[in-house]
Structures are given as structure tokens and as C-alpha cells.
Amino acid sequence: LLLKHMIEIKNLRKSYDDIKILKGINVSFKQGEIASIVGKSGAGKTTLLQIIGTLENPTDGDVFYDKQNVFKLKKNELSNFRNKHIGFVFQFHHLLPEFTALENICMPALIGKKPHKIAIEKARYLLDLLEISGRENHKPSELSGGEQQRVSVARSLINDPKIILADEPSGNLDTKTANELHELFFKLREKNNQTFIIVTHNNKLADLADRKITMNDGEIITI
């Protein structure tokens, strides 16, 4: 069920000194949509994803979430917004090595001031949902690549975000594990009606998406 436009990006530009990375991006995403972003290295895909995720500021242009212009928020309001509404899955899962799978998953919930007991209950539910419940007390070094990435997905889901942003989520995984991860995204969309925006070099994943957006040299060429 595709609903209203949830994210609207208007005339987005990003430059570092004289280097123009994004050159006027206009695109919108609907609630419950899975969109893939493809293009050569250096096309600006990751920069676009980081600005949508409010991890980077644009040089010019606006990003609206449900009509709210997020870059008009104060710094602490923006951090709270990000923690509450956006989940991130990276190629290198950025799990904290000294913490267990369960503790890693709980982190965003605890940062968001959720009670410890509720965070742990939710993390256990997600471990179960992602079929890694037997691994909750293992540290990242004791998990396979696929298990680490599932822990990273669980962490991205702990605060029930409306949006999941994934940057090359299956880039380090073998084909079988990558396919399982892709299936998982679609399962989660069916269950929670979350919006997924996925930057990927994996053509199979890109083609599975509801919509494939192609970027080249800082611009969107097909949408």
C-alpha cells in the first residue's frame, strides 16, 4: 500500500570547495516504498543518502519529511528527529566490538532515552524476527558477516523508524546471505510499511525495488 509522499527533496545541491557533488536533485519517496539508487562510484549516491539521513547538511536546497523542512531544525532537534525516525544500515555495519549483539541493538533506544527494560524486550523481539536469537550474547567478532549485518538491521529498527536508509547493505556478503538480506527488507516492508532507500551496486537488489533511481555525475538521470 503506497501512501502519500513522505520525503520530498527539492533542488538539493552539495559542494566541497569547488567540487560539485550534487547538482540540483529533485526526488520524492512514498510511505512504504522500496527505492534503489544506482550509478557509478562518484555519482553522488552516498552523499545524497547521507543528506536524506540528516548526517550531512546540503549546500543548498531542502529536505521535507511529512512537510517538515528538517534542516530548519536546531541541532539537538535534528539529532532527536534522526534517532526517532531514521534507521541506518551501512556496508560496514559499525557494530561496537566490545558489546554483545543484544547491547549493540539496544544502543539507539537507550540514546533515545527509552527505558532499559523496554529496549531489551524490543531487541529480543528483533533478534527473533531476524532469526538470530541464539546469538544475543555474542560479540561482533564471534558472528558471521551475515549475522553481523542482521544485528545491524535490528539496530536500525529498534526505534520503529519510518525510514530505513541502507548504503551498500549487501556489499560485503556472499550471494546467498545477500539474497536473504534482500528478502528480509521486503518482509519488513510488508510487516511495518517502512520506506527503504537503498544505495547499491547489486543489480539484482536494485531491480527488485519498486523503483530504481539512476544517478550520474551528481544528477538523477532516471527516476
Side-chain angles (χ1 to χ4, degrees):
L1 178 68
L2 294 181
L3 302 170
K4 58 185 190 292
H5 285 301
M6 185 175 188
I7 305 171
E8 291 185 83
I9 292 159
K10 297 188 175 169
N11 200 28
L12 200 66
R13 295 174 190 276
K14 180 70 179 177
S15 305
Y16 295 102
D17 300 325
D18 294 338
I19 302 163
K20 294 187 170 88
I21 309 291
L22 299 176
K23 304 172 182 173
I25 300 280
N26 292 287
V27 64
S28 56
F29 300 92
K30 290 178 179 152
Q31 169 102 40
E33 177 177 25
I34 294 185
S36 61
I37 302 178
V38 300
K40 292 194 195 77
S41 292
K45 306 182 299 295
T46 293
T47 303
L48 175 59
L49 200 71
Q50 286 179 329
I51 292 174
I52 295 171
T54 74
L55 296 171
E56 288 255 4
N57 288 346
T59 305
D60 200 16
D62 299 296
V63 176
F64 295 92
Y65 276 82
D66 284 337
K67 307 276 190 284
Q68 181 178 35
N69 191 338
V70 288
F71 288 108
K72 297 277 192 274
L73 294 171
K74 295 192 180 81
K75 202 172 174 184
N76 62 331
E77 291 173 337
L78 190 57
S79 298
N80 290 338
F81 177 88
R82 183 188 313 125
N83 182 260
K84 195 169 169 200
H85 296 295
I86 306 172
F88 296 93
V89 181
F90 301 100
Q91 176 176 0
F92 303 103
H93 25 73
H94 300 305
L95 298 175
L96 299 167
E98 66 275 30
F99 292 103
T100 65
L102 185 73
E103 289 165 339
N104 266 288
I105 294 166
C106 286
M107 287 291 169
L110 298 176
I111 290 166
K113 308 272 192 293
K114 286 228 173 83
H116 200 260
K117 184 168 176 281
I118 289 173
I120 285 177
E121 274 172 21
K122 184 72 193 282
R124 288 215 164 103
Y125 163 77
L126 291 167
L127 281 158
D128 201 35
L129 181 72
L130 304 190
E131 297 169 6
I132 43 170
S133 51
R135 316 296 280 162
E136 66 175 60
N137 296 318
H138 290 64
K139 296 206 169 144
S141 60
E142 301 166 320
L143 301 171
S144 71
E147 286 168 341
Q148 289 179 23
Q149 196 56 299
R150 279 171 184 257
V151 170
S152 155
V153 172
R155 180 184 58 189
S156 79
L157 296 170
I158 187 104
N159 285 340
D160 297 315
K162 295 178 184 172
I163 325 283
I164 308 287
L165 302 178
D167 193 2
E168 295 290 354
S170 53
N172 279 348
L173 303 176
D174 61 70
T175 307
K176 178 177 177 290
T177 312
N179 289 342
E180 286 170 0
L181 182 71
H182 302 162
E183 278 169 26
L184 182 63
F185 288 160
F186 286 86
K187 189 167 110 181
L188 290 166
R189 187 263 295 270
E190 293 310 312
K191 196 167 170 36
N192 304 328
N193 199 31
Q194 282 156 317
T195 304
F196 283 81
I197 305 174
I198 305 168
V199 165
T200 185
H201 281 108
N202 184 311
N203 289 325
K204 189 174 171 195
L205 173 57
D207 290 337
L208 282 173
D210 303 320
R211 186 163 52 126
K212 182 158 99 171
I213 295 163
T214 309
M215 287 185 70
N216 186 43
D217 197 24
E219 296 178 307
I220 287 177
I221 49 174
T222 61
I223 202 156

